[in-house]
Amino acid sequence: MKKKLIALVVAGALAAPVVAAAQGTHVTIFGRIQAEYATVDTDGNGAQTGVLDDAAQSRWGLQVAEDLGMGLRAMGRVEFGFNPGAGTDQTAREQWVGLGGNEWGEVKFGRVQSPFKDFAGGHTIDPFAYTSLHANGSGGLMTANLNGFGAGDNSFVNSAVRYDSPLVEGFSMSALLMPGDARKLDPVLGADGRNSGGEDGEWDFQVAGKYSAQIDALGFDIFGGYSRDNVSNRMKSLGNVIDDEEIWRGGALISFADLRVRGQYEYVNNANPLGGAASCTQAAAFGSAIGSITLDGRGQCNSAMNANGDGYLWMAGVDYTIGNTMLVAQGGMTHAYKLAGVAGSKDVQNITAGVIHSLSKRSSLFGGYQRVWVDDKNLVADADRNVYSVGMRHDF
């Protein structure tokens, strides 16, 4: 009996520092699981159907917060994505550590999301974000840069600092800075100067702001932003004829009771072919993508700009909520200007109609149809497509 008591006392003494260290720190386990029965029927490839989560919605992670007193808090986030039904390995999503203050906002260091994705437009105005019916990413009508600066489903920026301001009189802003040598140590994307950053690179950045207000039953958000992916000295030394990529964005979301109307416009100048708006992420493409063509027939990369070219993208939509059911209709287009003697013009248009039904605060069903028309002068045959999807999502 004495030996048991001694063992319990020793175990308690050893455990005490661990408990003390945990006091004041809150760790939250969170995640989402989603699967879609989706068919992507692309001209020339036929219908490709799967029960998967190619839109990169499923994830799990840890959110850490500690109250430091005097209005300060320490924060951290580790998040990984997976694909139910595909048996693939986990992929890194957000991974950062940060500091927040009630008066001045939050600053994060590490792998973060682009403000163009989760702050000003992007996923914030698309009810079908993270599904095969999305308006974001190269599958839809928003840029999905390989460097993570875009609004794609898997847009994350490595080696970055991000600042989010507090809301002051309806105004707020977000800014992201990526050091020029961020990809220097990447043997694939850094050695030859490709992608944002790169060896002997320039500092790349993104800034966005918005104004939110509520007047009785009328609410609105007006947002805008600017993104710049500078060409590195390494890329110039290799003889790459590439200019600094710039993207301007503006848009608004207006709500009245259960009705919402939204729209977004982007102009792309000098689309960077080595990681910018002329490319798209694998997640946004729904598979392995090569330009406007994919290897498995499920990819959607038609909204990418011509390399080192200009173009614009816009989307608009409306949704109406009846009880626990939201009815959604949206559409838009992409236009890539031609480059004389290099590449032809490209036009992509789409319309989407669907429904989202909430079973509870954590579970929902969704489904719909998307039609895409492609007029690409760079292809022998245009890759028009029809997308049908029915899926389920659960948050935990």
Side-chain angles (χ1 to χ4, degrees), residues 19-30:
V19 175
Q23 289 179 355
T25 298
H26 303 278
V27 180
T28 303
I29 300 176
F30 67 90

Side-chain angles (χ1 to χ4, degrees), residues 197 243 258 357:
D243 296 318
D258 295 322
H357 177 71

Side-chain angles (χ1 to χ4, degrees), residues 136-214:
N136 293 283
S138 293
L141 293 162
M142 298 295 128
T143 54
N145 307 28
L146 189 61
N147 60 22
F149 280 4
D153 293 333
N154 204 27
S155 287
F156 300 95
V157 186
N158 290 329
S159 183
V161 179
R162 173 169 168 169
Y163 168 73
D164 292 281
S165 76
L167 184 66
V168 180
E169 299 295 332
F171 291 94
S172 58
M173 63 88 64
S174 179
L176 181 146
L177 183 66
M178 182 180 188
D181 286 336
R183 305 304 291 263
K184 182 176 181 179
L185 300 180
D186 190 317
V188 177
L189 302 175
D192 59 359
R194 296 173 61 187
N195 262 353
S196 177
E199 185 176 358
D200 300 321
E202 299 293 335
W203 290 68
D204 305 306
F205 67 92
Q206 192 172 93
V207 61
K210 63 183 177 182
Y211 175 73
S212 303
Q214 185 74 38

Side-chain angles (χ1 to χ4, degrees), residues 305-383:
M305 299 288 105
N306 286 319
N308 212 36
D310 303 339
Y312 62 84
L313 315 92
W314 65 264
M315 63 86 70
V318 60
D319 59 71
Y320 184 72
T321 301
I322 305 174
N324 294 331
T325 302
M326 176 186 291
L327 306 177
V328 182
Q330 59 190 28
M333 73 168 294
T334 296
H335 176 72
Y337 292 106
K338 68 178 181 180
L339 292 174
V342 178
S345 63
K346 183 190 303 183
D347 289 283
V348 181
Q349 304 175 43
N350 76 14
I351 58 171
T352 305
V355 60
I356 301 173
H357 177 71
S358 298
L359 299 171
S360 67
K361 292 183 178 180
R362 296 181 177 274
S363 300
S364 61
L365 301 173
F366 60 87
Y369 166 76
Q370 183 180 85
R371 171 65 179 175
V372 183
W373 296 271
V374 180
D375 182 10
D376 191 344
K377 304 302 182 184
N378 303 298
L379 300 179
V380 176
D382 293 329

